[in-house]
Amino acid sequence: HLREEEVAKLTKELKECREELTKEKSERKADQNKQVSDHKTEAARLDDEMRKGRAKREQQVQELQEALEDEKKGRTQDMRDLSERLMAEEATREKEAKGLADALADLRRRLDVTWTAARDSIHGLTQDVKLISDQMIRASSTWSGFRSECLMSTQPSPKMMSSPRASFPPTIATLPGTTAAEGLGS
């Protein structure tokens, strides 16, 4: 009987162990299922976040590319406008430079003509002064050889002796510039 009790006790113990094992298995299975479910949920969440992150990055890249394209177009237009302004300025400066070069050439031509005319005029004046000087030297020598005391008009006449002018000396009675000393500066 002891044996039966022992067998019953062992059977009961075996049954409890099996129940406990079944319970543990079901708990582990539930725990595994929960973990798998949690992992799947986490993986789905991570996939969703990665998809959203990729979409956001793609949108940012797209926006940056559009901004870059807009900036490129803007700068290209600015460069085109600047190039056109520089070309217009260059054309204006070129016209001004050509005008200045033409004016300078015309001025140089006029100065050459004026200088030639002035040189010819100075040469003519020099020749005229030489001629006048020669004539004055001849007139001076002729005048210095002329004796004004021999002129009758400078001598007092018997009629003039009685007039009040007769009392003036003959040099005072002469007109200024009529003697060689006064008129010719000799």
Side-chain angles (χ1 to χ4, degrees):
H1 184 297
L2 218 37
R3 231 176 176 332
E4 278 181 19
E5 274 183 32
E6 208 176 296
V7 167
K9 188 178 174 188
L10 282 174
T11 308
K12 187 179 175 188
E13 208 177 296
L14 181 63
K15 189 178 175 186
E16 286 176 1
C17 280
R18 280 188 182 157
E19 284 175 6
E20 200 176 307
L21 182 64
T22 306
K23 187 179 173 184
E24 263 187 49
K25 273 185 181 180
S26 66
E27 283 177 3
R28 281 190 184 177
K29 196 167 197 170
D31 200 28
Q32 276 182 343
N33 286 342
K34 186 177 183 272
Q35 284 181 356
V36 167
S37 175
D38 288 348
H39 284 297
K40 283 182 181 180
T41 305
E42 185 66 21
R45 186 185 64 77
L46 288 174
D47 279 347
D48 189 44
E49 283 182 11
M50 285 177 60
R51 199 173 337 105
K52 286 178 183 177
R54 266 191 237 122
K56 187 176 180 180
R57 274 192 299 272
E58 285 176 9
Q59 182 182 1
Q60 288 174 341
V61 166
Q62 184 67 26
E63 288 173 358
L64 285 174
Q65 285 176 339
E66 289 172 1
L68 180 64
E69 190 65 31
D70 290 345
E71 183 70 22
K72 183 179 175 184
K73 286 178 184 176
R75 292 214 178 176
T76 302
Q77 184 62 39
D78 289 347
M79 285 175 52
R80 193 174 298 123
D81 292 345
L82 183 60
S83 177
E84 288 173 4
R85 282 191 305 185
L86 285 174
M87 289 165 107
E89 181 73 20
E90 183 179 349
T92 302
R93 297 291 173 131
E94 190 174 323
K95 286 179 186 175
E96 289 175 357
K98 187 177 184 303
L100 287 173
D102 292 345
L104 182 61
D106 184 51
L107 182 62
R108 189 173 281 148
R109 199 171 33 257
R110 287 182 186 185
L111 282 175
D112 288 345
V113 168
T114 304
W115 181 250
T116 302
R119 189 176 42 228
D120 292 345
S121 295
I122 290 172
H123 179 70
L125 284 173
T126 305
Q127 295 303 318
D128 289 348
V129 167
K130 284 182 183 177
L131 180 66
I132 291 170
S133 174
D134 288 346
Q135 288 296 327
M136 287 185 72
I137 289 172
R138 285 188 194 125
S140 177
S141 15
T142 303
W143 185 256
S144 66
F146 181 72
R147 300 198 178 265
S148 62
E149 338 33 268
C150 296
L151 291 176
M152 289 299 287
S153 61
T154 60
Q155 299 298 321
S157 68
K159 287 185 199 172
M160 288 186 84
M161 290 297 213
S162 60
S163 76
R165 285 193 74 161
S167 61
F168 290 113
T171 56
I172 294 176
T174 59
L175 293 173
T178 56
T179 63
E182 289 175 341
L184 298 177
S186 54

